[in-house]
Amino acid sequence: FGNRAQSPIDVWDTGAECFEHHEIRDRPGDFQINDTEVIKQILPSKLRILYPLRTGEEPDPPNADIPHGWGKQLDVRHIDMKFPSEHRLMGKQYPGEYQVYILAESGRGAAAISILMDYHPKNRSNRHMQLAIDEFQRVYDADLGACERKRRRRGQVLFEKSLLDAIFEENEYFQKWVGEDKNVTASKGFDAQVHTIDVRNLQDERKEDKDPLTTPGKWDPFSARYIMRSIWFYGYRGSLTEPPC
């Protein structure tokens, strides 16, 4: 910690004295990764897990007591996964970065925990993280299906519009021909109808009934076995790594 820096940075051990007197004290909260209240988003530059805001004593979002004077358990708002990592450690860029953003009191700024992700030296899978990956796969599949249905509906309307244009053009010619020949009785022409498209929001197509609280069990975003595997950390005063909007 020290003077504020523009994040992300290349983190080095400067030998500065560490004034922290405790590790990050994290709690998993009450949510499963597949709870409908936990929104999974595939954004242009990241994957995001968005937790609901606390509305009472229960259920609890994940939370953490961060060193350096934050002083209490603060709720996690969202988690971003970016590939490759934005931060570097001792000059090395990692395959991915797992960023936990903490809700802080007004005026203090935002607290964030960044965990650098690397390949396992023995190519072992991460079962805990795989649960989150599976959820993003479901979001991707749902979005792809919704886009395909939207494309088909749009194509149907374009076909119907072309057919209507042809009908009206033929009808106009028929009326003109009737007007020239008095021996032909004019009819009312063709009755045509354009179908309307109900283009629903892609997120709405995935909506299900919300759980009354949460499903049994929990997915720990700080898992000591699979995600945050050490109590040791580097710290600095920085900024958001990208513009807020």
Side-chain angles (χ1 to χ4, degrees), residues 1 18 20 22-24 66-68 230-235:
F1 292 99
C18 181
E20 307 312 326
H22 68 80
E23 63 200 67
I24 298 172
I66 300 180
H68 202 60
S230 173
I231 66 171
W232 303 102
F233 61 89
Y234 293 93

Side-chain angles (χ1 to χ4, degrees), residues 196-214:
T196 59
I197 303 178
D198 178 19
V199 181
R200 293 172 291 178
N201 184 280
L202 300 186
Q203 183 72 20
D204 290 341
E205 294 202 3
R206 295 195 301 269
K207 281 185 178 176
E208 304 171 9
D209 292 336
K210 287 185 175 294
D211 302 331
L213 283 176
T214 58

Side-chain angles (χ1 to χ4, degrees), residues 182-196:
K182 304 300 182 182
N183 296 322
V184 178
T185 303
S187 67
K188 292 183 180 180
F190 299 97
D191 220 1
Q193 179 181 2
V194 178
H195 294 278
T196 59

Side-chain angles (χ1 to χ4, degrees), residues 65-193:
D65 178 4
I66 300 180
H68 202 60
W70 295 88
K72 61 180 179 180
Q73 298 292 135
L74 298 171
D75 292 342
V76 173
R77 182 59 178 132
H78 62 82
I79 296 168
D80 289 346
M81 287 177 268
K82 301 178 181 179
F83 310 92
S85 68
E86 292 183 323
H87 286 85
R88 296 173 185 261
L89 183 60
M90 311 297 182
K92 178 181 177 180
Q93 186 176 34
Y94 285 76
E97 185 167 347
Y98 180 95
Q99 300 172 339
V100 183
Y101 287 87
I102 310 291
L103 281 174
E105 295 178 352
S106 178
R108 181 70 196 268
I113 302 169
S114 281
I115 301 167
L116 301 177
M117 298 187 287
D118 204 354
Y119 301 112
H120 195 282
K122 295 184 179 180
N123 200 30
R124 292 177 181 168
S125 62
N126 187 319
R127 292 179 296 171
H128 192 70
M129 188 64 76
Q130 186 64 47
L131 295 173
I133 294 172
D134 291 345
E135 287 301 306
F136 285 113
Q137 183 67 54
R138 291 187 183 94
V139 171
Y140 175 84
D141 292 341
D143 282 353
L144 185 64
C147 286
E148 183 63 23
R149 290 190 294 274
K150 180 179 178 181
R151 186 190 66 80
R152 287 198 297 267
R153 289 198 291 272
R154 182 178 297 169
Q156 180 184 359
V157 166
L158 290 176
F159 170 76
E160 290 176 349
K161 184 179 184 302
S162 298
L163 183 60
L164 275 176
D165 289 343
I167 290 172
F168 287 138
E169 183 178 347
E170 183 69 21
N171 192 36
E172 182 180 2
Y173 173 79
F174 176 74
Q175 294 289 353
K176 181 178 180 182
W177 177 65
V178 167
E180 293 175 351
D181 191 341
K182 304 300 182 182
N183 296 322
V184 178
T185 303
S187 67
K188 292 183 180 180
F190 299 97
D191 220 1
Q193 179 181 2

